[in-house]
């Protein structure tokens, strides 16, 4: 309920760790729901600020978490609301044609946002689930992998 502890397989935590997120990075997390990796990215982004003695809860960087499914997007927002940060934007768009984001610079001119890090944990065939639940092999067929 409080979302202070989230269970996640160790192998699922590796991509966010290898992203080497710094407090000024603009990070795009595609296929973000249910939000475990997004939460990890936010902790890395905001945690950098805390380690440097800053008191501002929002560093210069931002995490944009996107998911194609509106239903999964709501789940994503529900899971991430406890972070209470303005360093997060949640979007609902097809990641294969993610739109350009334009933000005003100091002179008021709009510049295209360039992401420093992009994490794309795309949906897969579910072989990890089959590894954890061997009884699934009895009902699996090739169409489930498509």
């Amino acid at each position: 309920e409080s979302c202070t502890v989230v269970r996640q397989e160790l192998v699922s935590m590796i991509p966010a760790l290898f992203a080497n997120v710094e407090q000024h990075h603009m990070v795009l997390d595609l296929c973000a729901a249910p939000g475990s990796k997004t939460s990890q990215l936010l902790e890395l982004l905001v945690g950098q600020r805390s380690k440097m003695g800053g008191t501002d809860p929002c560093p210069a960087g931002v995490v944009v978490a996107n998911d194609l499914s509106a239903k999964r997007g709501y789940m994503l927002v529900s899971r991430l609301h406890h972070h209470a940060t303005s360093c997060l934007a949640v979007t609902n768009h097809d990641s294969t044609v993610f739109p350009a984001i334009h933000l005003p610079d100091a002179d008021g001119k709009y510049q295209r946002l360039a992401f420093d890090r992009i994490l794309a944990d795309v949906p897969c065939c579910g072989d990890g689930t089959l590894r954890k639940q061997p009884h699934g092999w009895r009902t699996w067929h090739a169409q489930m992998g498509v």
Side-chain angles (χ1 to χ4, degrees), residues 12-32:
S12 296
M13 297 172 71
I14 293 172
L17 292 174
F18 277 117
N20 196 25
V21 174
E22 296 179 17
Q23 68 178 4
H24 62 278
H25 282 163
M26 300 297 167
V27 182
L28 176 60
D29 185 3
L30 299 168
C31 311

Side-chain angles (χ1 to χ4, degrees), residues 30-43:
L30 299 168
C31 311
S36 299
K37 289 179 191 72
T38 307
S39 184
Q40 198 178 353
L41 291 168
L42 276 170
E43 289 170 9

Side-chain angles (χ1 to χ4, degrees), residues 1-18:
E1 184 77 26
S2 68
C3 295
T4 53
V5 175
V6 177
R7 286 178 19 145
Q8 186 178 15
E9 280 200 47
L10 184 59
V11 71
S12 296
M13 297 172 71
I14 293 172
L17 292 174
F18 277 117

Side-chain angles (χ1 to χ4, degrees), residues 25 27 50 54 67 81 84 126 136 138:
H25 282 163
V27 182
S50 302
D67 204 274
H81 83 278
R138 290 189 291 266

Side-chain angles (χ1 to χ4, degrees), residues 87-125:
C87 304
L88 171 69
V90 177
T91 59
N92 175 225
H93 205 278
D94 182 350
S95 295
T96 61
V97 289
F98 195 80
I101 298 173
H102 293 85
L103 299 173
D105 61 13
D107 298 327
K109 296 179 183 175
Y110 281 85
Q111 302 292 326
R112 184 176 182 166
L113 174 62
F115 291 100
D116 300 295
R117 303 289 188 267
I118 299 175
L119 177 64
D121 186 14
V122 299
C124 64
C125 63

